[in-house]
Amino acid sequence: MSERVRALAAVIAKPHGFAAAVGEDVIEVSAPVSSAAVLYEKIRNTLEYQEEHLLRRNAIARFFQRHMGENELLSTRASDLLRELVWAKYLPNKEVPTFLGDSLSTIIAKYEVLLHAIENGAAHREHLSRWLLDALASEVEHAIAPPLHDEAAARYMYQEMRERTDWDTALGLTKEEQDLRLFIAVHRALLKSNMASLRFHVLSLYYPDWSSQKGRARAVELAPQFVAIAHKIDADISHPMTEKLTRLLRRRAGVFHVLTDVISHEPHHFLSLLEEPDALDRAVTHTLNDRTKAFRTRLRRTVVRAIIFLFITKMLLALILEVPYDLLVVHNAPRYPLLVNIFFPPFFLALLSLTIRIPEKKNADDTMAAVRALVVGADHPVLNLRVKKDVRSAWWTLFNIVYALTFIFVFGAIGVFLARVGFHALSIVLFIFFLSLVTFFGIRIRNSTKDIVVAEGRSGIVGTAFDVFMLPIVRAGSWLSVKVAKINVFIFFFDFMIEAPFKVAIRFVESWLAFVREKKEEI
């Protein structure tokens, strides 16, 4: 049995969480205030498509962004941050010790050194401020709720895959470069880390004492060269090889998820399971069934959120653009193009997302075999990885031309068809815009099965044809999703016009309720 499995089991078996002692001061908020804050967060998050595990980190980043530029230092706001997170139920009520604010103040002060440095003449200050807020929010979340199990699982997967990965020498990568690419790819594939989280992880990897007591001194040392450091870290995260490795590791990550779940369910009896192969297989099957059910539940929740996001966005755009255009430019325009544009995108997204099929029996057999190989250190086709240099054939230029023609044909055919059934120019543009976004979101949701399905799926003739003609739409949706995220006026409105006064109002109400309770106790 691998010693790495023993080490992973030992970490997972240890309890973790908030360590408020009996009688120690904890943060307590009132139920009405918390309900209002939770409702706001649900509405706000509906307008932005984000993975659920990123919502708390995003809330922390929004807090810092809201208070940037104030006369008061961010490090003095740590207690306010914790209270807001408890309001929104990102942290449990009556469990977060108040002393945690002091630890967060130390972390925030370290980043204030760098924020002050870029304010004094650094180019691209807005990007660098965003970079630092990303890293700060990630480190603060780690301090609030240390992801010990996740980090142990990522370390375990990295160590295993480091030995199981065969690198093509034609890639020309040094051992250090291979390790860095693999480290980032494991965090992306296993933990679903985004750019913001990875900035903190790679910064900590470059400077191991960053999160220690020497962190502030290290920040002072790095301030003069921080621009170059930030650029280097972003280049490492966005490196094409990192992207390729992430895709290759995604299905393999499912095996590691199942193993860590088995350990979590049986933390004190896991080692005995390893002595009985049949018992281990039963535990893996049971865990995989639970993960599949949880995946289906999460899938439905994600689809509902995405549909609500699309429906609200489309309704608002219809009121702002399409209806006025119909009334002022295209008189007596038929109403069905407007109705199609409103209702088709959510329907199509639901069709793409809720028709996912999972080969549960075959997946269970593949996962059991891979887990057995993993715990004993044996080879297995699912776990072994060969990273080769991409070699583009002489046909590549021709393929690009064919792809460009397919792109023109697909969107041209859609535009011609819509024009013939009565859509005007703006309706056609909005239909194609939302069709691209919906198809991209739908395919991305369908691809989420890679998190639990180990074996590669096969496409038949119909599936291959569908892929060829949908690829231009998916690529357009991918490009639009990035641009829409940058110009999401609804999110901007919530974050800068509503959130600040809303949080002030909540603070006022909470203070008033505390005042009323105190007066009531005096009677």
Side-chain angles (χ1 to χ4, degrees):
M1 177 177 55
S2 171
E3 288 301 318
R4 296 194 187 111
V5 177
R6 291 182 182 273
L8 177 63
V11 173
I12 293 179
K14 293 179 181 178
H16 71 290
F18 297 107
V22 177
E24 194 166 36
D25 289 340
V26 294
I27 296 176
E28 179 179 358
V29 301
S30 63
V33 165
S34 180
S35 299
V38 169
L39 178 61
Y40 170 82
E41 289 292 320
K42 287 184 177 180
I43 295 172
R44 193 263 174 211
N45 290 332
T46 298
L47 296 175
E48 183 180 30
Y49 183 84
Q50 288 286 348
E51 298 284 352
E52 290 188 19
H53 72 283
L54 299 175
L55 296 181
R56 180 171 59 190
R57 196 215 67 85
N58 291 347
I60 295 171
R62 294 201 322 266
F63 174 89
F64 289 128
Q65 192 169 21
R66 197 168 72 243
H67 292 287
M68 281 279 290
E70 295 181 352
N71 293 329
E72 198 171 358
L73 293 174
L74 287 177
S75 53
T76 64
R77 293 279 190 174
S79 297
D80 294 337
L81 168 63
L82 289 173
R83 183 166 291 275
E84 285 196 14
L85 294 176
V86 176
W87 282 347
K89 293 188 178 179
Y90 289 122
L91 296 177
N93 194 16
K94 302 180 183 179
E95 293 185 31
V96 181
T98 56
F99 71 78
L100 186 57
D102 296 333
S103 300
L104 297 189
S105 295
T106 302
I107 294 173
I108 299 168
K110 173 177 60 181
Y111 284 87
E112 283 179 326
V113 172
L114 297 177
L115 286 167
H116 179 70
I118 65 173
E119 283 296 324
N120 294 334
H124 310 294
R125 281 183 295 179
E126 184 177 349
H127 170 72
L128 294 173
S129 295
R130 180 73 259 177
W131 200 104
L132 285 169
L133 288 182
D134 284 343
L136 170 58
S138 298
E139 184 168 357
V140 165
E141 185 182 31
H142 276 233
I144 290 173
L148 302 180
H149 292 181
D150 287 346
E151 292 299 322
R155 183 166 57 252
Y156 173 66
M157 181 177 178
Y158 166 78
Q159 292 169 342
E160 286 289 337
M161 295 310 303
R162 189 169 182 261
E163 293 183 355
R164 296 172 182 270
T165 301
D166 181 19
W167 296 84
D168 188 348
T169 55
L171 290 169
L173 296 177
T174 65
K175 190 62 177 175
E176 291 74 16
E177 289 173 329
Q178 293 173 5
D179 290 345
L180 179 59
R181 306 284 175 256
L182 184 62
F183 174 88
I184 297 171
V186 164
H187 276 77
R188 291 181 62 179
L190 187 72
L191 305 184
K192 297 293 183 291
S193 297
N194 63 352
M195 175 63 89
S197 301
L198 288 170
R199 282 169 171 165
F200 167 65
H201 282 300
V202 180
L203 179 65
S204 301
L205 184 67
Y206 278 171
Y207 306 101
D209 60 351
W210 179 256
S211 297
S212 69
Q213 296 294 328
K214 300 178 181 178
R216 184 179 175 84
R218 174 65 76 177
V220 172
E221 176 189 334
L222 297 182
Q225 51 188 331
F226 173 69
V227 176
I229 293 170
H231 177 76
K232 175 68 168 61
I233 290 175
D234 281 356
D236 288 330
I237 295 172
S238 303
H239 194 279
M241 181 52 65
T242 305
E243 299 281 346
K244 180 178 180 178
L245 273 175
T246 302
R247 293 193 298 271
L248 293 173
L249 290 176
R250 189 167 181 183
R251 290 188 186 276
R252 293 166 173 84
V255 178
F256 291 87
H257 277 305
V258 169
L259 177 60
T260 53
D261 283 354
V262 169
I263 299 173
S264 298
H265 294 158
E266 299 284 349
H268 302 293
H269 303 94
F270 172 72
L271 296 182
S272 63
L273 286 179
L274 300 182
E275 307 299 329
E276 303 178 43
D278 290 341
L280 178 61
D281 286 349
R282 287 193 298 271
V284 168
T285 302
H286 178 73
T287 298
L288 189 59
N289 288 338
D290 289 344
R291 285 186 60 80
T292 303
K293 291 177 183 176
F295 169 79
R296 294 186 189 280
T297 301
R298 188 172 64 252
L299 174 67
R300 288 191 293 269
R301 190 164 57 242
T302 300
V303 172
V304 169
R305 283 183 56 220
I307 287 174
I308 293 173
F309 164 74
L310 285 167
F311 187 75
I312 293 175
T313 305
K314 186 64 189 75
M315 285 292 291
L316 290 172
L317 280 179
L319 292 174
I320 295 171
L321 296 177
E322 203 161 355
V323 171
Y325 185 86
D326 289 347
L327 295 176
L328 300 175
V329 179
V330 186
H331 303 290
N332 299 320
R335 290 288 172 262
Y336 66 85
L338 176 62
L339 296 176
V340 169
N341 270 345
I342 290 174
F343 292 104
F344 177 75
F347 171 77
F348 189 54
L349 178 61
L351 182 66
L352 284 175
S353 305
L354 299 180
T355 55
I356 294 174
R357 295 289 181 266
I358 298 175
E360 296 189 24
K361 177 64 171 65
K362 183 178 185 307
N363 190 44
D365 293 340
D366 292 340
T367 304
M368 282 190 292
V371 169
R372 284 194 224 107
L374 192 59
V375 296
V376 299
D379 287 338
H380 191 276
V382 168
L383 299 173
N384 298 338
L385 181 62
R386 169 71 172 163
V387 185
K388 298 181 292 184
K389 183 178 182 179
D390 292 330
V391 179
R392 297 185 175 184
S393 68
W395 296 97
W396 205 259
T397 301
L398 177 61
F399 293 157
N400 278 326
I401 295 173
V402 172
Y403 172 73
L405 293 175
T406 305
F407 192 96
I408 295 171
F409 170 77
V410 168
F411 284 103
I414 293 172
V416 170
F417 172 77
L418 293 177
R420 287 185 176 180
V421 297
F423 281 63
H424 53 69
L426 181 61
S427 294
I428 293 174
V429 170
L430 289 177
F431 182 91
I432 292 176
F433 174 81
F434 278 97
L435 175 65
S436 301
L437 282 179
V438 163
T439 305
F440 170 68
F441 285 140
I443 297 300
R444 193 165 76 169
I445 290 172
R446 290 183 74 87
N447 285 340
S448 64
T449 57
K450 294 178 181 179
D451 294 335
I452 59 172
V453 178
V454 172
E456 291 280 355
R458 294 183 178 181
S459 298
I461 296 176
V462 176
T464 302
F466 179 83
D467 291 342
V468 169
F469 287 102
M470 293 303 288
L471 180 60
I473 299 176
V474 174
R475 292 296 298 270
S478 175
W479 180 82
L480 285 172
S481 68
V482 176
K483 300 302 179 182
V484 168
K486 291 180 179 178
I487 59 172
N488 194 329
V489 294
F490 309 117
I491 290 297
F492 178 85
F493 179 74
F494 263 76
D495 289 353
F496 294 97
M497 303 298 291
I498 294 180
E499 184 158 327
F502 179 77
K503 294 298 173 67
V504 171
I506 285 184
R507 193 172 299 279
F508 172 80
V509 171
E510 186 175 46
S511 299
W512 168 253
L513 292 175
F515 172 79
V516 171
R517 281 196 301 270
E518 183 177 340
K519 291 301 180 184
K520 185 177 179 180
E521 291 174 358
E522 291 176 359
I523 300 175

